Amino acid sequence: MHNTQEGFCQSFSKNARLVSTCRSLSCCFWYRTCVLQAMSGSEQDWLALRPREPSPSQCCGGGCKPCIYDVYEKELAQWERAKAKQDKSLLTEKREQVNLPPSHPGACALMSSNSVLNPDTFTAFSVSSVEQLTEDTYQYKFELPGNSSLQLSLGQHIVLRGVVNGLEVQRAYTPISPGNAEGYFEVLIKCYEAGLMSQYIKTWKKGDMVFWRGPFGGFPYQPNKYGELLMLASGTGLAPMLPILQSITDNEEDETFVTLVGCFPTFDKIYLKPLLQDLARYWNIRIFYILSQETSLEKLPWSYQENTYTGRLNEDLMKTIINSCRRRPFVLICGSSAFNEDMTRYLKAAGIEENSCFVF
């Protein structure tokens, strides 16, 4: 473990294999500084400093701005300007946060300097707790320095970076904690047996350092702008809905009605039941559950039976729910691509046009 910049740089100059391994980390300021000091101005030296184009697995597919490819283009343009002027100091004009993968031996020593979330560079945060909600879904809590906050707008997502078998992977997740939560943030993540990122996530334990960048996206919500919000969420698609729900219930002057429809396989796989039950107690919040793999409601707690349906959310049930809305709804949708497409089709059949929908 290298605890100082000097020690870190010495390892680069003494260990050619480590230098070669770290060349792909074009954003690493220490690496650039050490290499710049050691190299001459030859063409080969400049090629060694050229940013590496990201692989497809490094793109989370979440429509981030800037995307990992945008960051690459920005760094490539900076490299081209520096090369044209034969001035390597131009590569370090803007000191960026150190961009080491979690598996790198210098990663843990960098936590104290990486404390602000940034859309261009990854920042390390410490896992403070891990809670298993179902057999494959977890709630992770991360520490923020002091009483700082991510200051997310409603529905914004952040991008996680992991390294599995030497392959860098990135995925987008929406924090479920309020955007102004102080000292922490929480994410809801479903792990898949064959998922590359899931392999990395399953190794997390308290105290581990995890790298995030962002925020991106979001839903431009304004209090009382819509008479009613109809939220259609499948599984962890619940995540972007929760901060919006909490912002409405926390604001006494916001009288927006909300109907949340949560789609899950079984009753046992409904996430965050206590939180959802608390939210459903507000006068303007209704929550329905659609359980695709349940065949009967008899074994469910009585408090769930009245607002739960078995089977899948289909066109007829969608019309029933829309007709029960107290005002003409604006619809928020979040789930798999197949779920989103189905919901959009059902809504259109029920008379809800695309300009009255928002898909996360």
Side-chain angles (χ1 to χ4, degrees):
M1 180 70 67
H2 301 287
N3 295 320
T4 66
Q5 180 175 342
E6 180 181 358
F8 196 82
C9 293
Q10 286 176 354
S11 77
F12 274 92
S13 60
K14 293 180 179 179
N15 192 332
R17 293 178 64 186
L18 183 55
V19 171
S20 176
T21 300
C22 294
R23 278 177 179 166
S24 62
L25 307 176
S26 62
C27 293
C28 178
F29 176 81
W30 291 347
Y31 165 69
R32 284 181 171 183
T33 302
C34 295
V35 175
L36 293 180
Q37 291 173 349
M39 284 187 169
S40 63
S42 69
E43 184 71 16
Q44 187 174 7
D45 294 342
W46 278 104
L47 290 177
L49 293 171
R50 192 180 192 276
R52 293 282 184 90
E53 183 174 0
S55 64
S57 68
Q58 291 177 278
C59 179
C60 71
C64 307
K65 292 294 182 182
C67 173
I68 187 80
Y69 288 100
D70 296 328
V71 175
Y72 164 72
E73 293 294 341
K74 179 181 176 181
E75 291 186 345
L76 181 61
Q78 185 179 17
W79 176 83
E80 289 173 343
R81 287 195 301 270
K83 183 175 181 293
K85 295 184 178 182
Q86 290 294 299
D87 184 357
K88 293 176 182 175
S89 67
L90 295 178
L91 294 176
T92 57
E93 282 180 337
K94 179 181 177 181
R95 179 165 182 165
E96 298 179 282
Q97 290 170 287
V98 179
N99 192 21
L100 298 179
S103 59
H104 194 280
C108 293
L110 303 176
M111 178 56 185
S112 61
S113 64
N114 288 351
S115 59
V116 180
L117 194 63
N118 187 298
D120 295 308
T121 57
F122 285 92
T123 301
F125 296 97
S126 174
V127 177
S128 59
S129 69
V130 178
E131 181 180 357
Q132 185 169 0
L133 302 180
T134 68
E135 61 184 14
D136 56 10
T137 305
Y138 301 79
Q139 182 176 346
Y140 296 95
K141 188 173 184 178
F142 295 87
E143 290 182 14
L144 292 175
N147 290 322
S148 61
S149 169
L150 292 185
Q151 292 296 325
L152 300 181
S153 298
L154 293 176
Q156 283 192 310
H157 66 267
I158 55 180
V159 174
L160 167 68
R161 182 180 65 185
V163 178
V164 181
N165 299 326
L167 180 66
E168 182 176 306
V169 186
Q170 298 187 24
R171 295 289 184 270
Y173 298 97
T174 302
I176 60 173
S177 48
N180 59 354
E182 295 183 349
Y184 76 97
F185 70 93
E186 295 173 308
V187 291
L188 180 68
I189 300 179
K190 180 177 181 178
C191 292
Y192 297 87
E193 185 173 349
L196 274 177
M197 183 62 85
S198 296
Q199 294 178 38
Y200 166 57
I201 292 172
K202 287 178 182 178
T203 68
W204 291 354
K205 59 185 181 300
K206 184 176 180 179
D208 283 351
M209 308 306 300
V210 177
F211 286 71
W212 299 90
R213 73 181 179 100
F216 306 101
F219 171 60
Y221 178 75
Q222 298 176 13
N224 299 310
K225 180 178 180 179
Y226 308 103
E228 181 158 358
L229 290 177
L230 172 58
M231 299 177 170
L232 307 176
S234 175
T236 53
L238 182 66
M241 310 300 184
L242 292 177
I244 299 172
L245 271 168
Q246 291 171 316
S247 75
I248 293 173
T249 57
D250 288 346
N251 184 355
E252 293 182 355
E253 297 182 0
D254 192 344
E255 297 183 349
T256 304
F257 286 105
V258 179
T259 296
L260 169 64
V261 181
C263 301
F264 302 91
T266 64
F267 178 78
D268 291 337
K269 292 187 177 181
I270 297 175
Y271 312 133
L272 306 169
K273 291 189 189 77
L275 173 60
L276 294 175
Q277 289 292 79
D278 286 343
L279 290 169
R281 293 188 178 97
Y282 284 84
W283 65 272
N284 54 339
I285 308 295
R286 298 188 308 170
I287 299 180
F288 293 106
Y289 300 98
I290 314 294
L291 306 180
S292 61
Q293 295 178 16
E294 296 281 6
T295 56
S296 173
L297 301 178
E298 294 180 359
K299 295 183 180 180
L300 270 61
W302 67 267
S303 59
Y304 284 86
Q305 292 184 15
E306 185 177 353
N307 60 342
T308 300
Y309 297 86
T310 59
R312 294 187 176 276
L313 178 53
N314 56 29
E315 185 176 316
D316 290 338
L317 183 52
M318 178 72 78
K319 290 179 179 178
T320 299
I321 292 172
I322 290 175
N323 290 335
S324 74
C325 288
R326 292 144 291 189
R327 299 170 182 170
R328 185 71 172 175
F330 186 91
V331 187
L332 305 180
I333 307 171
C334 190
S336 66
S337 57
F339 175 84
N340 296 344
E341 291 172 3
D342 287 344
M343 296 306 105
T344 302
R345 187 171 66 255
Y346 300 158
L347 289 167
K348 187 174 182 179
I352 304 294
E353 298 299 329
E354 288 187 10
N355 60 4
S356 294
C357 301
F358 182 92
V359 180
F360 286 98

